[in-house]
Amino acid sequence: MNLDNTPCTRPPEDWGLDPLFWVSAKLFIGDLHLAIPSDLTSVYFIGNQHIVRSVEIVGIVVSVSTRSLKLTEYLVDDGTGIILCAEFTTPEEQSDPETRYSHPLGETVLIEGRLSDFRNERQVIIRSIKSIDPNQETLGWLERLALRDNLASPYI
């Protein structure tokens, strides 16, 4: 079941009234690919005029690519789609690569980060990534299904 995404018609000054604007929205990856980007700022519209900046996804790591000392890219699959997640390293990790941790293939992860487009491809800039129990993945699905019902109605 796809969401009917509608751009927000309210002025940007009122966007903060939407609770999803201030939190990491728990969404399926398939819904992230269907979100409508804003022309004004780096926000996305999902559902009935809801504004999303930050997201939380749960899925399985299907690819890991270390591009340089500064960037690790993960492809994460949650069953509804696959999305690129980019993790930038701190200066400490760049100076001492031994302190850097890369999540292995097949690991179930919870990723929180900022939604963005880079070279016409949707991605998540990772703020935090952690390994989780597969049972938590099931709980994450239930949370996302519950939030989906609320996305169908406008926030005001």
Side-chain angles (χ1 to χ4, degrees):
M1 175 178 99
N2 286 335
L3 289 172
D4 293 328
N5 295 333
T6 309
C8 185
T9 56
R10 300 186 185 281
E13 301 84 44
D14 293 345
W15 288 358
L17 297 173
D18 185 358
L20 285 181
F21 185 78
W22 299 106
V23 299
S24 292
K26 297 179 179 186
L27 299 169
F28 291 115
I29 292 172
D31 294 338
L32 297 180
H33 286 297
L34 297 174
I36 301 169
S38 168
D39 295 333
L40 301 174
T41 60
S42 60
V43 298
Y44 295 82
F45 303 117
I46 193 160
N48 192 353
Q49 301 186 27
H50 289 280
I51 297 110
V52 173
R53 293 186 304 174
S54 183
V55 296
E56 181 182 295
I57 58 172
V58 174
I60 297 172
V61 175
V62 295
S63 174
V64 179
S65 172
T66 304
R67 298 242 176 216
S68 66
L69 287 176
K70 296 182 180 183
L71 175 66
T72 302
E73 293 179 338
Y74 298 98
L75 283 179
V76 178
D77 183 359
D78 73 349
T80 65
I82 297 175
I83 195 163
L84 177 72
C85 300
E87 180 180 34
F88 293 95
T89 57
T90 63
E92 296 168 348
E93 293 172 328
Q94 291 174 21
S95 63
D96 185 14
E98 296 296 322
T99 61
R100 190 171 178 192
Y101 178 75
S102 178
H103 294 270
L105 291 178
E107 186 171 66
T108 305
V109 293
L110 179 128
I111 294 177
E112 183 180 346
R114 181 175 45 88
L115 192 59
S116 70
D117 286 335
F118 181 68
R119 295 184 179 163
N120 294 325
E121 186 177 339
R122 192 73 35 100
Q123 68 177 6
V124 175
I125 306 298
I126 297 174
R127 188 175 313 124
S128 71
I129 179 172
K130 65 179 183 177
S131 302
I132 60 169
D133 184 271
N135 291 330
Q136 287 177 299
E137 181 182 22
T138 306
L139 179 61
W141 270 78
L142 293 173
E143 290 172 337
R144 282 150 183 80
L145 287 171
L147 178 61
R148 254 173 156 249
D149 293 339
N150 294 332
L151 290 175
S153 61
Y155 63 92
I156 293 181

